Amino acid sequence: MLIPLIHSLGDAQLRWFARRIANERGRRLLRFLQDMALREQIAHAAVHSPFYRQKFAECGVSPRDIRRASDLPALGFFTYPSDLAADPYQFLAVPRQEIVYAMASSGTTGRPKIVFLSKKDWEFAVRMGSIGMAMAGITAADVVQILFCSGNPNWMTGDLIQAELEQIGAFVVPAGNSVPIAQQIEMMQMFGTTVLMGTPSYVYRLTEEGGKLCDLRSLGIRAINLAAEPWSESLRTFLQEAWGARIYDSYGMMELACDGAGECPALCGLHVSPYLLVEVVDPRSGAPLPRGELGELVFTTLYRQASPLLRYRTGDLARLLPDEMCPCGGVTAERISRIVGRADDMLFLGSGENVFPAQIEVALMGVEGLSGFQVIIDKVGYRDRLRIRAETSAPSGHLQQAIERRLSEGLPFLQHEIHRSQLIAPLEIEFVESGTLQRETPVKVRRLVDRRERGNRAEVESP
Ligand SMILES: [Zn+2]
């Protein structure tokens, strides 16, 4: 088996091996091995996981009928985040004493989604994560400052990221996101930080506020790795210019033990971890979509002992990229586009214009003096109302006008719906102190909060 084989190799052997299979033949080999692993994963889940034992009994498909990745739609069922939140023990496919770690994330309903890791799952996740980081160019020479939230039960990924970086041999500075910005910059200077990892909203605020304290380019940060929230290409350009660093996107979720996909230096989409199979389906009907079409990402784990997941619906929208080698030469079975948004975050405003939070972000990115924002949508009478909570250290009428102008340019229907059809109320802007939004939701900032009655929107399940 390729993956257990990789697991047993040293780093030098691994690099040699990666070069040998960095071609089309290597990709066919990887897919062949993934199909073998899929058969094992399905057999394991169907026997040992109570949830899947029942699913197989109901769906009338024999586990033996699923021979390869392309057979997955024949299962006819999906696993939803709500299934995992309802009872994570229904997914447990090993005896409880074999669990060494649990990863949890909570949705808006407050019930955490939990997956368990056995010792082998943990070691595996560390190994695969470190391969992904190495693919993004992180080496033993790097000093990596981690800006993700720490010590929060809804964000248990810190230990895993740290273990992955240690595997590479990098120096880890676990700074978190609760220290003052000035101190964050001092740590970079003191330790000679070369790589930052954090959420886009925090890194944006760090850039806005930190830029006033020093020349960020003088700090020597060569790469910034963003994860956990969708973000736009204009943020990439903004951060690249401010720091003089390469900006990388990575995608993962607790349910996948933070495994997922990540950008390589070629910036040609995100390489999907070889430990996962990916499908893209129509978010409404669940039907598989042709390559290149925008739809919901669905993942099936391979080699997972404790909490195997088959056809797990992520709610995240992206595309499968063309079936060809990446210019970087890295071998993965699939690459996906960057995440466009969440299927359930798409909003209908006014007369039914649809909007993704990312469009609002693109509109407001780079407004001078704005260090963060949140848009709250509710109803006044029959009209939708957008209230923008704008984080700034210097509120002014000028800033208010700049925000209104940028939103009107970015969402051209707004003017019409506010002034002509009057289906949207005039924009309201509330200034809040910088850092307020992060304090309210320490793990990740919710850019868009929809308080309207259901019916205006799809069911919201927060990531
Ligand atoms: Zn690549």
Side-chain angles (χ1 to χ4, degrees), residues 322-351:
D323 187 14
E324 49 198 45
M325 285 285 291
C326 177
C328 77
V331 173
T332 41
E334 291 288 356
R335 280 176 298 137
I336 53 171
S337 70
R338 300 195 47 227
I339 305 299
V340 174
R342 288 187 57 76
D344 43 21
D345 268 357
M346 193 169 77
L347 295 164
F348 296 95
L349 288 177
S351 57

Side-chain angles (χ1 to χ4, degrees), residues 266-303:
L267 298 184
C268 289
L270 283 75
H271 290 261
V272 175
S273 160
Y275 177 39
L276 299 168
L277 292 177
V278 62
E279 296 172 76
V280 172
V281 304
D282 182 312
R284 284 167 295 271
S285 68
L289 291 175
R291 185 177 290 279
E293 276 193 35
L294 183 66
E296 184 176 344
L297 292 174
V298 172
F299 287 102
T300 295
T301 58
L302 300 173
Y303 308 100

